[in-house]
């Protein structure tokens, strides 16, 4: 099996990215479709990972406002979870945030994904809250200070 890699998504990739997000968030998790996509999609930097057949299997986006970037819409197809696709997408989102001038990142992690983000150097801040009917926690980290020299 090939080692996962991530790349910037282009407008040509958008139908596959949107389909993956709909599968994960709307179909699997029951997020209302009208809130899964939002106006921020137009200005966000989107990243994706493909499997060996070329199919988009993981994605995420980053928005930068000053020194803090906000990562969101992290999604991985069920059949590739735990195989590194989400990690390479997150690393590339960190690189893009740095490129755009951010020094820190923040995200709202679903509770089952909390450990994934902790391994990537994030720390939970604040209390658990509900977003789109799913329990989340806000997590933050500085860029350039991740585990094992990650971005």
């Amino acid at each position: 099996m090939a080692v996962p890699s991530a790349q910037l998504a282009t407008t040509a990739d958008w139908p596959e990215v949107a389909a993956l997000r709909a599968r994960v968030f709307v179909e699997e998790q029951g997020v209302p479709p009208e809130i899964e996509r939002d106006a921020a999609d137009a200005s966000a930097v989107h990243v994706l990972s493909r499997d060996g057949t070329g199919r988009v299997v993981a994605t995420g986006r980053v928005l930068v406002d000053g020194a803090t970037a906000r990562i969101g819409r992290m999604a991985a197809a069920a059949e590739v979870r735990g195989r590194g696709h989400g990690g390479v997408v997150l690393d590339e989102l960190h690189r893009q945030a740095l490129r755009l001038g951010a020094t820190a990142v923040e995200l709202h992690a679903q509770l089952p994904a909390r450990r994934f983000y902790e391994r990537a150097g994030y720390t939970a801040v604040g209390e658990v809250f509900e977003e789109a009917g799913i329990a989340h926690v806000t997590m933050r980290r500085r860029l350039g200070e991740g585990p094992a020299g990650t971005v």
Side-chain angles (χ1 to χ4, degrees), residues 5 18 33 37 52 61 64 86 92 101 109-110 125 140:
S5 64
R37 290 177 68 178
R61 74 179 190 189
V64 176
E92 184 59 32
Q110 292 182 10
V125 294
R140 294 185 185 131

Side-chain angles (χ1 to χ4, degrees), residues 109-119 122 124 128 137 139:
Q110 292 182 10
L111 291 189
R114 179 177 176 160
R115 185 75 191 111
F116 167 80
Y117 293 111
E118 287 173 340
R119 286 190 306 267
Y122 283 81
V128 173
V137 64
M139 300 190 81

Side-chain angles (χ1 to χ4, degrees), residues 25-37:
F25 297 124
V26 178
E27 294 171 21
E28 285 181 32
Q29 299 178 351
V31 172
E34 61 273 12
I35 66 170
E36 192 286 310
R37 290 177 68 178

Side-chain angles (χ1 to χ4, degrees), residues 9-148:
T10 67
T11 52
D13 297 317
W14 182 248
E16 283 186 276
V17 167
L20 174 62
R21 283 175 35 181
R23 262 193 334 274
V24 171
F25 297 124
V26 178
E27 294 171 21
E28 285 181 32
Q29 299 178 351
V31 172
E34 61 273 12
I35 66 170
E36 192 286 310
R37 290 177 68 178
D38 62 18
D41 278 330
S43 59
V45 173
H46 297 267
V47 171
L48 60 83
S49 180
R50 295 181 182 277
D51 66 10
T53 69
R55 187 174 59 102
V56 173
V57 294
T59 189
R61 74 179 190 189
V62 63
L63 296 154
V64 176
D65 182 17
T68 302
R70 179 153 175 116
I71 289 176
R73 302 308 197 268
M74 288 283 297
E79 64 273 14
V80 302
R81 290 181 194 145
R83 296 188 183 168
H85 290 277
V88 296
V89 165
L90 187 61
D91 286 345
E92 184 59 32
L93 290 169
H94 292 159
R95 280 190 283 282
Q96 293 302 317
L98 273 170
R99 181 183 65 80
L100 294 168
T103 58
V105 285
E106 180 176 294
L107 53 79
H108 292 168
Q110 292 182 10
L111 291 189
R114 179 177 176 160
R115 185 75 191 111
F116 167 80
Y117 293 111
E118 287 173 340
R119 286 190 306 267
Y122 283 81
T123 302
V125 294
E127 300 298 318
V128 173
F129 61 94
E130 190 174 294
E131 187 172 73
I134 301 167
H136 285 74
V137 64
T138 298
M139 300 190 81
R140 294 185 185 131
R141 71 163 270 195
R142 301 215 33 90
L143 289 173
E145 299 177 1

